[in-house]
């Protein structure tokens, strides 16, 4: 299969503290959908099948934040600093209002940005993440950080971190990893060690995060979770619906952290319906 997202050229825009690398594609017009990536991920680590579903109806923008991948500058050492990088990127592109989708660490970033500048966000999609540690929150198994913290991760590492340990989960996970290869073979994109350490610090110091401020968010929020997520156990995301004014949860009982790639067509359609309402 070939994917539109694999052929989009990288563009650059100058911000106040960095030269941001990004790609923009899909349906022109309407509110742009800006996507914030996971820990140790670059814009080349979005599954192109998922991006293509979104691009059928949305103006999609993926980018590397400060100090990550092809973007210059220094990576943020807190979620607030990474959120500032996102907002700087929006300013550089002259985007007054956007829809935001964040996966994993990106979810923490977009939630923080929304609370700090609610006027900049029309709708928020929060995927495989946590708004903050709460009472009763299961922690990620110790093995998760042992695997995620390796200098180089192989296919088995990604299958463990992102997909359930079932035959079907591993099959669909392997298919997703293969789809990523088209970009990664050309770019060899990685997050350099100093930026990895900064991101680790950002995640570990997030703590209670923004959970106690969720009731301040007045705009619609879509929460996506995989029940078997070992990286971001979904307890706090489910509890977030009790705090949000206008929240909706989509849960996949057979999926993990990368449910959005395992079920790219179904979740992509859920996102499109949510953004179109």
């Amino acid at each position: 299969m070939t994917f539109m997202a694999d052929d989009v050229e990288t563009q650059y825009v100058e911000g106040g503290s960095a030269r941001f690398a990004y790609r923009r594609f899909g349906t022109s017009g309407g509110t742009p959908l800006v996507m914030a990536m996971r820990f140790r991920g670059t814009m080349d680590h979005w599954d192109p099948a998922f991006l293509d579903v979104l691009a059928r109806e949305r103006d999609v923008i993926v980018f590397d934040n400060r100090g990550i991948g092809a973007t210059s500058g220094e990576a943020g050492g807190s979620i607030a600093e990474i959120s500032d990088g996102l907002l700087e990127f929006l300013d550089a592109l002259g985007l007054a209002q956007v829809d935001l989708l964040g996966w994993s660490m990106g979810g923490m970033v977009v939630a923080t940005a929304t609370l700090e500048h609610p006027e900049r966000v029309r709708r928020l999609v929060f995927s495989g993440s946590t708004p903050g540690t709460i009472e009763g929150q299961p922690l990620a198994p110790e093995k998760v950080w042992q695997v995620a913290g390796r200098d180089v991760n192989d296919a088995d590492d990604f299958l463990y971190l992102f997909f359930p340990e079932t035959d079907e989960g591993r099959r669909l996970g392997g298919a997703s990893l293969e789809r990523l290869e088209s970009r990664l073979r050309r770019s060899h994109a990685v997050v350099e060690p100093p930026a990895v350490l900064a991101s680790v610090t950002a995640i570990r110091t997030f703590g209670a995060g923004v959970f106690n401020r969720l009731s301040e968010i007045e705009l619609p929020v879509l929460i996506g979770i995989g029940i078997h997520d070992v990286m971001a156990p979904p307890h706090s995301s489910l509890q977030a619906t009790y705090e949000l004014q206008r929240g909706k949860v989509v849960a996949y009982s057979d999926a993990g952290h990368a449910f959005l790639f395992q079920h790219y067509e179904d979740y992509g359609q859920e996102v499109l319906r949510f953004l179109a309402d």
Side-chain angles (χ1 to χ4, degrees):
M1 295 180 64
T2 59
F3 301 97
M4 174 177 59
D6 282 338
D7 295 326
V8 179
E9 293 187 4
T10 302
Q11 301 181 64
Y12 297 89
V13 64
E14 294 291 340
S17 66
R19 182 175 185 245
F20 290 90
Y22 72 99
R23 300 189 188 111
R24 189 169 187 172
F25 53 97
T27 303
S28 60
T31 305
L33 173 62
V34 178
M35 302 176 62
M37 216 342 156
R38 62 168 171 85
F39 168 68
R40 288 189 78 168
T42 71
M43 61 181 170
D44 287 354
H45 291 90
W46 289 109
D47 190 321
F50 179 58
L51 295 180
D52 273 21
V53 174
L54 300 177
R56 292 174 194 165
E57 300 180 17
R58 309 303 303 185
D59 176 8
V60 176
I61 301 174
V62 296
F63 78 110
D64 288 337
N65 211 324
R66 292 186 300 215
I68 302 294
T71 292
S72 66
E74 184 176 345
S78 69
I79 296 300
E81 291 177 355
I82 302 171
S83 172
D84 286 343
L86 165 62
L87 293 164
E88 181 183 327
F89 172 64
L90 299 184
D91 288 341
L93 284 184
L95 299 175
Q97 189 178 59
V98 296
D99 294 326
L100 291 178
L101 185 154
W103 174 36
S104 191
M105 185 179 75
M108 305 175 191
V109 172
V110 297
T112 300
T114 298
L115 280 162
E116 293 308 308
H117 290 278
E119 77 284 356
R120 304 291 298 270
V121 185
R122 188 187 71 102
R123 297 207 165 202
L124 176 64
V125 183
F126 188 80
S127 305
S129 189
T130 175
T133 303
I134 62 174
E135 185 177 354
Q137 170 75 12
L139 300 179
E142 185 176 342
K143 180 181 176 180
V144 165
W145 280 106
Q146 293 172 349
V147 172
R150 289 171 180 164
D151 290 342
V152 177
N153 290 123
D154 60 20
D156 284 337
D157 292 340
F158 287 121
L159 289 175
Y160 165 71
L161 293 171
F162 294 159
F163 299 93
E165 295 186 294
T166 62
D167 290 343
E168 182 68 355
R170 291 182 68 84
R171 182 185 73 79
L172 294 173
S176 176
L177 294 178
E178 288 181 11
R179 293 191 294 269
L180 293 176
E181 280 301 308
S182 178
R183 278 286 185 188
L184 293 173
R185 273 196 302 266
R186 287 176 278 166
S187 69
H188 304 288
V190 295
V191 178
E192 296 297 332
V196 172
L197 290 176
S199 296
V200 169
T201 300
I203 292 169
R204 288 184 168 170
T205 57
F206 190 55
V210 299
F211 189 89
N212 292 333
R213 296 186 60 195
L214 292 176
S215 61
E216 299 174 29
I217 299 178
E218 298 179 354
L219 56 89
V221 181
L222 175 66
I223 297 174
I225 59 174
I227 295 300
H228 299 286
D229 191 334
V230 296
M231 294 201 74
H235 178 75
S236 61
S237 290
L238 288 168
Q239 291 298 313
T241 58
Y242 291 91
E243 306 297 322
L244 291 166
Q245 298 184 41
R246 302 170 68 186
K248 174 183 177 180
V249 175
V250 176
Y252 293 90
S253 61
D254 64 342
H257 197 57
F259 67 89
L260 64 174
F261 300 167
Q262 182 175 333
H263 294 292
Y264 63 85
E265 181 71 37
D266 188 87
Y267 188 61
Q269 290 293 339
E270 289 282 356
V271 173
L272 291 177
R273 282 191 291 271
F274 171 74
L275 296 179
D277 285 345

